Amino acid sequence: MPSLNVPFTEEEMEGVRAAAAAEGKSLKQYLHDLGVREMQRKRFVSGAASWADKLRGEFDEAFPDEVPVSQRDRGTDAA
């Protein structure tokens, strides 16, 4: 099975050990799960953005008075 040797500063390693202990995991399991969770998070965000893009036209038709965030005047505050 592939593995990695990842260097950390002493401060970083202390923080990673504390985070692993807070989750009740070994350092090895914590770092493994962290990488897997990040991969899953990116996949979820990509899917959610794709889903939103597919529905954008329907939303715009249903709410014609709504102004997209990208087109809002940045100089005014929300009411």
Side-chain angles (χ1 to χ4, degrees):
M1 180 182 299
S3 64
L4 298 171
N5 288 323
V6 181
F8 291 96
T9 65
E10 290 298 323
E11 295 84 21
E12 290 169 338
M13 188 57 116
E14 184 179 317
V16 172
R17 281 191 178 114
E23 290 195 20
K25 295 180 179 180
S26 69
L27 191 55
K28 186 176 182 179
Q29 187 64 51
Y30 177 79
L31 290 172
H32 170 269
D33 292 352
L34 188 63
V36 171
R37 278 194 314 259
E38 179 61 12
M39 181 180 59
Q40 291 170 338
R41 185 193 69 79
K42 285 183 176 185
R43 191 178 306 142
F44 172 81
V45 169
S46 177
S50 176
W51 179 74
D53 287 342
K54 289 177 186 174
L55 296 177
R56 190 175 319 281
E58 183 179 334
F59 181 88
D60 289 345
E61 286 178 26
F63 302 99
D65 295 333
E66 290 293 320
V67 178
V69 174
S70 62
Q71 296 177 10
R72 291 183 187 160
D73 181 13
R74 303 248 185 240
T76 61
D77 292 330

